[in-house]
């Protein structure tokens, strides 16, 4: 190599180093800004500011003799990445969690590249795993081998990718994000041979369809369908055959050491694929980002049924972005309709429109609400955000076909294991319960009595490694003359104490009209044993998106209990945790009889998380620890335990409350035993 080329290349290397350093510095400032943007009054994506930056860099570029278009498009990517970084920081729980993403294909396939771009700003450590088929990627999520499946759903040239739609309708998974990925198909070969030498071209069927005009222009060339574009490139690389080529991306060429024979071979210059991120649980993204929502509906077989559903959206100013129909797997000539529209469930006009649509649909399921790829900033009307407790979430799940053949109790279709074979994990402020999540220890006093009392409990729970604080403010007491709780005043001090120690709150709600106010402060709503069949209350908590601990009624059978859970779920709140707290039997030695056999029975009949409250069952603190250990041993996902700084002075349930130091010892034991499992 000549000296001058060598020295010019070294100069370029030095410039690249400086470019990367500047980008890293920019990123550090972006992260500092992200911390300021924890203030909900500030917008995450500021369109005016973005326009200003683009205009400025474009002008600077022009003045330096650079191409404006090139610099602007580079900056669009940089700005998009900044917004994503900031949004990811808002929901970062600081847990340093890892995320496993399943895609279809091999390394450097379009799905892999799009997934990398989608998760580039994530604050988690992300691992990407390629699977043979779309169904295998979905199965990996169901089996908890992966957290997210990342699949293509439509292409701007060839239209819908129906397999993804069908997989969505056949599962209880949720959409949590989308990505618009520009596809730039290239023809790749081993060496830079003339096009006329190519005899065999392989690629994914979608890519072949998208390049049909180019393929028709070739003579004596055989087209072969491969599993994905990157696999086709890999096959060409391994074949050593100069007459073979693959249609794939430039990234695939780099990965498998191939040459690009021809770029831009799609029928249309602008070729985009929309990908969706699919997870087991819905995810709440930062509501300052423009959102989109996807629904699955079925309509009655009558004139104008679909039109009435669509009118409901139009009348409330909700913009439909996609409508797709797929044949029902259950009945010939019946259709499922997939709808995508702008706006999120946290927006009032969307909630109202969906409430209206639900009345006209036979069944409706919300597949997900998520930040829109390249979405425009919202206008004033869309700024009307509703509190999460009032959000109308109308998630009427239609059980997948398999549920119909499994014998089940008709009064709990949604709660039944038959409708949802995998365990449900409920997320509470980044904390997970159910499935394979760690054993959860919830603790706190029976009643919130004073600031000092609840603060001492919060400190003890925190120091024992707990994350969830219980405390009753509205107390359902057998005698009207007993302490009834501090009401909303208690809720305020409970909230303050919990926040001071970074804990989430579980508290009981007694009246339907209190539900939205309590839900604003609480992270989990508790329905007490005496209210297990208070159907108005169940429906009211069902309309929120706040997780619910549903305690077993004193005289309720397991089936009645599950039917009560169904009341909550049928309103759209699927985040129900069942709590066994003892039932009334002829035995009087204990306050109630802890029915530990309910735990394995429930684990068989339902996918919902199950916890045990040994305190209310035993009635005496001496028996709480052995029952808590037993609860863990029979397969409960957690326990809820009453504690008090001075049990002898407790205003309620002192006899069954553990002193703080007794609780610390028990919590340590339960946690280490859980680790051993
Ligand atoms: C409680 O948890 O404080 C309570 C009142 O429990 P239960 O509804 O199980 O009696
Ligand atoms: Mn109690």
């Amino acid at each position: 190599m000549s000296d001058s080329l060598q020295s010019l290349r070294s100069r370029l290397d030095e410039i690249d180093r400086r470019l990367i350093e500047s980008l890293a510095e920019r990123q550090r400032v972006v992260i500092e800004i992200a911390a300021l943007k924890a203030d909900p009054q500030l917008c995450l994506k500021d369109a005016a500011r973005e326009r200003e930056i683009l205009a400025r860099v474009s002008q600077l570029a022009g003045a330096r003799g650079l191409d404006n278009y090139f610099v602007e498009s580079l900056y669009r990517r940089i700005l998009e990445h900044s917004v994503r970084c900031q949004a990811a920081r808002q929901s970062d729980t600081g847990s340093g969690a890892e995320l496993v993403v399943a895609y279809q294909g091999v390394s450097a396939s379009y799905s892999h590249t799009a997934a990398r771009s989608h998760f580039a700003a994530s604050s988690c450590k992300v691992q990407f795993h390629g699977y043979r088929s779309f169904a295998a990627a979905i199965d990996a999520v169901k089996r908890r081998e992966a957290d997210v499946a990342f699949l293509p759903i439509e292409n701007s040239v060839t239209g819908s990718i129906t397999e993804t739609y069908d997989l969505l309708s056949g599962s209880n998974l949720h959409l949590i994000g989308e990505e618009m990925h520009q596809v730039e198909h290239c023809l790749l070969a081993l060496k830079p041979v003339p096009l006329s030498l190519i005899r065999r071209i392989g690629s994914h069927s979608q890519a072949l369809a998208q390049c049909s005009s180019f393929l028709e222009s070739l003579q004596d060339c055989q087209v072969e369908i491969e599993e994905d574009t990157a696999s086709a490139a890999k096959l060409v690389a391994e074949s050593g055959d100069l007459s073979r080529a693959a249609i794939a991306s430039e990234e695939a060429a780099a990965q498998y050491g191939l040459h690009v024979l021809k770029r831009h071979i799609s029928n249309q210059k602008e070729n985009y694929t929309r990908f969706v991120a699919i997870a087991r649980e819905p995810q709440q993204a930062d509501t300052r980002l423009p959102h989109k929502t996807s629904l699955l509906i079925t309509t009655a077989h009558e004139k104008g049924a679909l039109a009435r559903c669509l009118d409901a959206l139009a009348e409330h100013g909700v913009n439909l972005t996609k409508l797709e129909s797929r044949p029902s797997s259950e009945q010939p000539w019946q259709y499922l309709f997939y709808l995508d529209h702008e706006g999120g469930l946290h927006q009032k006009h969307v909630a109202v429109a969906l409430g209206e649509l639900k009345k006209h649909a036979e069944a409706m399921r919300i597949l997900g609400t998520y930040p829109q790829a390249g979405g425009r900033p919202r206008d004033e009307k869309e700024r009307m955000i509703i509190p999460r407790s009032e959000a109308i979430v109308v998630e009427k799940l239609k059980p997948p076909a398999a549920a119909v053949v499994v014998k089940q109790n008709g009064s709990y279709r949604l709660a039944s294991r038959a409708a949802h074979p995998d365990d449900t994990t409920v997320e509470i402020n980044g904390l997970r319960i159910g499935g394979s999540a760690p054993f959860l220890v919830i603790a706190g006093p029976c009643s919130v009595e004073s600031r000092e009392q609840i603060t001492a409990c919060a400190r003890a729970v925190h120091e024992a490694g707990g994350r969830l604080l219980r405390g009753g403010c509205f107390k359902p007491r057998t005698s009207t003359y007993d302490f009834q709780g501090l009401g909303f005043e208690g809720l305020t001090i409970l909230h303050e104490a919990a926040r001071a120690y970074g804990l989430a709150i579980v508290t009981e709600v007694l009246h339907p009209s209190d539900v939205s106010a309590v839900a604003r402060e609480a992270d989990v709503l508790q329905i007490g044993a005496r209210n297990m069949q208070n159907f108005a209350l169940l429906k009211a908590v069902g309309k929120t998106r706040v997780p619910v601990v549903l305690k077993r009624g004193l005289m309720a059978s397991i089936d009645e209990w599950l039917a009560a859970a169904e009341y909550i779920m049928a309103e759209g709140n699927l985040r129900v945790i069942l709590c066994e707290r003892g039932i009334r039997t002829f035995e009087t030695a204990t306050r109630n009889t802890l029915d530990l056999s309910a735990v394995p029975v429930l684990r068989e009949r339902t996918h919902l998380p199950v916890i045990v409250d040994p305190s209310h069952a035993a009635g005496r603190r001496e028996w709480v620890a052995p029952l808590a250990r037993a609860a863990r041993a029979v397969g409960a996902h957690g326990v809820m335990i009453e504690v008090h700084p001075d049990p002898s002075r407790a205003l309620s349930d002192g006899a069954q409350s553990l002193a703080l130091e007794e609780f610390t010892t028990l919590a340590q034991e339960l946690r280490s035993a859980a680790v051993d499992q």
Side-chain angles (χ1 to χ4, degrees), residues 382-411:
E382 290 169 329
R383 279 184 180 276
M384 292 193 305
I385 305 292
I386 48 177
R388 62 179 175 158
S389 53
E390 286 168 26
I392 304 173
V393 182
V394 260
E395 197 158 351
K396 272 264 194 275
L397 286 179
K398 219 168 177 280
V404 180
V405 291
V406 179
K407 194 171 175 298
Q408 58 171 302
N409 183 317
S411 58

Side-chain angles (χ1 to χ4, degrees), residues 446 470 475 616 642 653 656:
C446 177
R470 63 151 286 152
K475 294 304 301 177
H616 288 87
E642 285 188 342
D653 288 350
Q656 69 195 34

